[in-house]
Amino acid sequence: MAIETTPDKNYQDSEHLESKLIHTAQDVKIEELKVAQKLKGQGLLDSIFHPHDDDDNEHAWTNWAKNQSCDPAEIFNPETLEDLTEIVLKAKATGQKIRCAASGHSWSSTSVTDGYLVVVNKMEKVYVPVYNDDLQSWTVTLETGVLVKDLDDILRENNPPLALPSNVVLDSHGAATHTRTLPDLVSEVTIIDADGNLNTFSEAKNPEEFAAATVNLGLLGVIYTYTLRVEPMFNLHMTDTYPPLSEYFSTPEIGGPKLKAMVLGNDQTEIFYWPFNTPKLGAANDHIWVKQWQRTAVLPVSVSPPEEAFKKWAQGYQTQFGDHLYEFMAAHPSSAPFINCLLYKAIGGKTSEEVLSAPDAIHYQAGIDNLPCVDLEMAFKVNEDFSNVVVAWNYVINQLYEYANRGEFPFNLTLEMRFVKSSTMLMSAAYDTDPEAIYCMIEVLSVNNTPGFDEFSSNMAKFWMDNFQARPHWAKMWEHVPGIVPYLRRQASERYDRFEAIRKKYDPKGTFMNATFAGVLGH
C-alpha cells in the first residue's frame, strides 16, 4: 500500500469505501479458495474439515495453549483489593500456597498449583492518566486483570491521546529496539505480601527492591497494580518486505553488519521465517518476512478507522481458516512442507507499507488467539557486529532441513526474532549492567500437538545456551530443556540470590513459591 502524505478525501465517500472493502473481502476469500481448491485436489480437504470432538477437560484450570493444567484446592475470582487481601489471609490461616493467572497466555507452569489459584481477570480498573512532574512523563495506573486492548482504548480517549512506547503483539509482544522491555516502563508496582500487607515499590523508594518487584514472577505476593510510563500518541511508518533468506543470513560476516544497520536504523524490527516456504526441501530459495517500524512526525495515518477495523476482521477470519490447516498438519506432520508452501504463496510475499497510530502498528496481527501453539523463546546479548544473531538463526533453519530429510517435521509454524535494549530488572531475560546493550529475543513455534517439538526446541535452546549464554523467556516453554536449572544457577546465581533475599522478606514461608522457580532460586 502506498503511503499518502495527505488524508484520502475518499474516506468521506461512503460508496468508495464500501466498494474498497468489498474488493478487499473478495481478495481474502479468493486466496482462501485457492488454498482450499489445491487441498481438495490433493484429497486433503475432507480430512481437514472433518468434524471432531475435543477431549473432555478433566482439569479445573487449563492455560490457553493447553499444555499446562492443574486442579487447585480452590479457585478465586477477586474483583477488589479487599477480595485479594482476604484470599491471602485465608491462605495464611490454612497453609495453602497461592499462584495467580489471568488470560492464561503463559506456556510455563507459573500458574500451576494444588493450592489456591487466583484468577485476576475481573481486576480490570484503569485509573485516569496523570502527568508526573518528577518523572517528566505521563503515567497510568491499572489493575493486573486489564487487557492490553482495553488499556489502549482508554489511552486513546485521553486528552491528550496517549500510547505505550512498546507493547506486545497480542491485544487480548513488542519489538522496540530503542526502548526497553515492557516491565521497564513500570514506575511503581503494588503487591500484597504473605501477611496481607499492601507494599508499594518504586525506584525512588528502594532501587534494589524495585528491580525485584517489577519482574517478580508472582513470588513476592499478589500484584495489585502497575503504574506505567506512557507518552503522547505517535505514528509509526510500518513496512513489510519479503527478501530472500540469503540477503541477511548468508554468512555471519556478511549478514551480521546488514542486520545491524537495519536494526539500529529502525525504532523496531521483527523478522519471521515460515518453514518450507518454497518448494523442495532446502533453504536456497526461501524467504523471510521483515517488519520495520519508524516513528514519523510528518506522515499522517494512511488507513482509515473502518479499513483498519476490517483488516482486523479479515485477519481473524484467516487465522480461523488457518487453524483447521494447522490441526491437520499436526496430525499429519509430513504435510507441513506442502501446506506451508501453499499458505506462503497465498498470503505471503506482498510488500507493503502504511502509517498507523502506535497501537495499531504494534498490534499488527489480529486473531492470534485462534492459533493455539507451543513456543520456546530465549534471549541473548547481541555482539558488536550482530554475527551471533546470524549463527543463532541459521542453526534453526539448518536443523529444520536436517530433520525434514529424515522425514521428521517438529517445527512447522514460525521462527521469529526481535530486538530490545537491556533491562535493569533482576529476573529479566534481558538483564544487563550495560544500559546500551541490545538483546535478541528469538523463538520457535509449532502447532499444538506437533510430534517432536519438545526435542527440537530443546536442541535449539541448548545451542543458544552453549554458544551465546541465552536465557529463557519465563512465560514461554523452557522447563523441558535438559539441565537448564543448573545452567541458570551457574550463569546468574548472584543475581538470583539478590532476588531471593528480597523474596524472603515479603514471603518468608514460601506462600507464593512453586516448583517452577524453586530450583532457579537455589532451593
Side-chain angles (χ1 to χ4, degrees):
M1 178 175 181
I3 297 299
E4 301 174 21
T5 55
T6 57
D8 187 348
K9 64 181 181 179
N10 289 319
Y11 288 160
Q12 308 303 317
D13 184 339
S14 61
E15 291 184 1
H16 173 83
L17 180 56
E18 181 179 0
S19 174
K20 205 169 188 178
L21 296 183
I22 289 172
H23 284 300
T24 304
Q26 290 172 341
D27 290 342
V28 171
K29 189 63 178 176
I30 286 170
E31 296 302 337
E32 308 286 344
L33 288 172
K34 285 179 181 177
V35 174
Q37 287 169 353
K38 291 188 178 182
L39 291 169
K40 185 175 181 180
Q42 297 287 323
L44 301 179
L45 196 60
D46 290 341
S47 54
I48 286 176
F49 290 101
H50 188 275
H52 64 278
D53 295 324
D54 291 328
D55 293 332
D56 290 337
N57 180 13
E58 297 178 355
H59 296 284
W61 179 86
T62 303
N63 67 342
W64 166 77
K66 298 182 180 179
N67 71 313
Q68 299 286 352
S69 59
C70 62
D71 296 293
E74 195 167 348
I75 296 178
F76 299 87
N77 294 278
E79 299 184 27
T80 66
L81 173 60
E82 291 72 22
D83 292 343
L84 291 177
T85 304
E86 286 181 12
I87 295 166
V88 172
L89 292 176
K90 182 176 180 179
K92 181 180 179 180
T94 59
Q96 294 282 3
K97 290 184 177 294
I98 295 178
R99 294 303 294 171
C100 295
S103 54
H105 279 95
S106 291
W107 284 259
S108 63
S109 61
T110 56
S111 296
V112 171
T113 181
D114 58 4
Y116 290 168
L117 181 64
V118 180
V119 180
V120 298
N121 289 337
K122 295 182 179 180
M123 304 291 299
E124 51 191 6
K125 183 184 298 182
V126 179
Y127 293 86
V128 176
V130 298
Y131 188 81
N132 187 307
D133 290 322
D134 293 334
L135 297 174
Q136 292 292 291
S137 171
W138 285 88
T139 63
V140 61
T141 298
L142 58 145
E143 294 179 337
T144 49
V146 174
L147 296 177
V148 171
K149 180 184 183 302
D150 294 337
L151 176 60
D152 281 339
D153 289 344
I154 289 170
L155 292 176
R156 287 180 201 256
E157 294 166 3
N158 191 69
N159 184 18
L162 302 169
L164 289 161
S166 65
N167 209 322
V168 295
V169 175
L170 279 169
D171 62 2
S172 51
H173 64 134
T177 309
H178 296 298
T179 58
R180 304 186 188 276
T181 60
L182 189 55
D184 289 274
L185 299 178
V186 175
S187 63
E188 185 176 279
V189 57
T190 61
I191 300 175
I192 304 169
D193 65 25
D195 289 323
N197 300 315
L198 183 65
N199 302 275
T200 300
F201 300 86
S202 69
E203 188 167 21
K205 184 177 179 181
N206 187 318
E208 179 79 350
E209 291 198 353
F210 177 69
T214 303
V215 181
N216 67 80
L217 308 171
L219 296 171
L220 270 63
V222 179
I223 305 166
Y224 173 50
T225 62
Y226 275 111
T227 300
L228 303 174
R229 289 188 294 274
V230 294
E231 56 185 82
M233 181 66 70
F234 57 95
N235 293 342
L236 287 166
H237 179 192
M238 184 172 70
T239 60
D240 292 278
T241 57
Y242 299 83
L245 174 67
S246 59
E247 184 168 328
Y248 290 99
F249 296 99
S250 56
T251 66
E253 296 76 19
I254 296 174
K258 293 185 72 172
L259 277 174
K260 179 179 181 178
M262 177 173 66
V263 170
L264 297 186
N266 292 326
D267 286 286
Q268 305 175 34
T269 306
E270 196 164 9
I271 303 173
F272 300 87
Y273 170 77
W274 277 299
F276 316 116
N277 63 65
T278 54
K280 300 181 180 179
L281 292 183
N285 299 312
D286 281 357
H287 287 249
I288 55 176
W289 173 19
V290 178
K291 292 191 72 71
Q292 302 176 70
W293 293 263
Q294 292 184 340
R295 290 197 185 207
T296 174
V298 178
L299 296 174
V301 171
S302 61
V303 179
S304 72
E307 280 192 317
E308 182 64 23
F310 181 80
K311 181 177 71 175
K312 299 296 187 188
W313 173 86
Q315 289 174 339
Y317 177 86
Q318 287 177 325
T319 54
Q320 287 178 5
F321 178 82
D323 185 45
H324 292 291
L325 298 180
Y326 288 137
E327 285 181 359
F328 177 86
M329 189 162 59
H332 303 82
S334 62
S335 69
F338 172 75
I339 291 177
N340 273 334
C341 182
L342 194 60
L343 286 172
Y344 181 77
K345 286 182 178 179
I347 61 176
K350 300 170 184 175
T351 296
S352 65
E353 59 177 324
E354 54 192 7
V355 176
L356 300 171
S357 61
D360 292 330
I362 293 171
H363 307 309
Y364 57 83
Q365 176 64 57
I368 297 177
D369 277 354
N370 294 327
L371 298 172
C373 60
V374 281
D375 182 358
L376 175 140
E377 181 173 2
M378 303 197 88
F380 64 88
K381 188 175 182 177
V382 176
N383 63 8
E384 178 61 30
D385 63 1
F386 277 56
S387 59
N388 61 345
V389 174
V390 177
V391 174
W393 182 272
N394 282 344
Y395 183 75
V396 181
I397 295 172
N398 291 337
Q399 288 297 299
L400 165 73
Y401 283 107
E402 282 195 23
Y403 274 74
N405 287 328
R406 300 198 301 263
E408 300 175 34
F409 303 91
F411 166 45
N412 57 26
L413 194 52
T414 191
L415 166 64
E416 183 264 355
M417 67 165 54
R418 54 199 169 91
F419 302 86
V420 297
K421 276 196 172 179
S422 60
S423 172
T424 58
M425 306 308 159
L426 290 176
M427 296 299 287
S428 172
Y431 175 86
D432 206 290
T433 56
D434 177 4
E436 297 305 311
I438 295 176
Y439 274 73
C440 173
M441 309 293 294
I442 185 168
E443 62 184 325
V444 288
L445 301 94
S446 281
V447 182
N448 268 11
N449 303 314
T450 296
F453 179 78
D454 279 7
E455 177 196 292
F456 182 87
S457 59
S458 292
N459 290 342
M460 301 309 103
K462 188 70 164 54
F463 181 84
W464 298 332
M465 289 156 56
D466 289 346
N467 291 276
F468 314 121
Q469 293 73 56
R471 307 163 187 159
H473 185 310
W474 300 118
K476 305 295 177 69
M477 295 173 63
W478 59 272
E479 296 151 292
H480 67 292
V481 178
I484 192 167
V485 171
Y487 161 84
L488 290 171
R489 289 297 302 169
R490 290 193 302 271
Q491 187 197 62
S493 60
E494 185 273 338
R495 177 160 52 92
Y496 297 149
D497 289 347
R498 287 164 56 194
F499 176 88
E500 172 66 0
I502 296 167
R503 187 202 65 78
K504 283 184 176 179
K505 176 180 175 181
Y506 293 95
D507 182 23
K509 295 182 179 179
T511 299
F512 303 100
M513 181 59 70
N514 77 341
T516 303
F517 299 110
V520 173
L521 296 177
H523 291 212

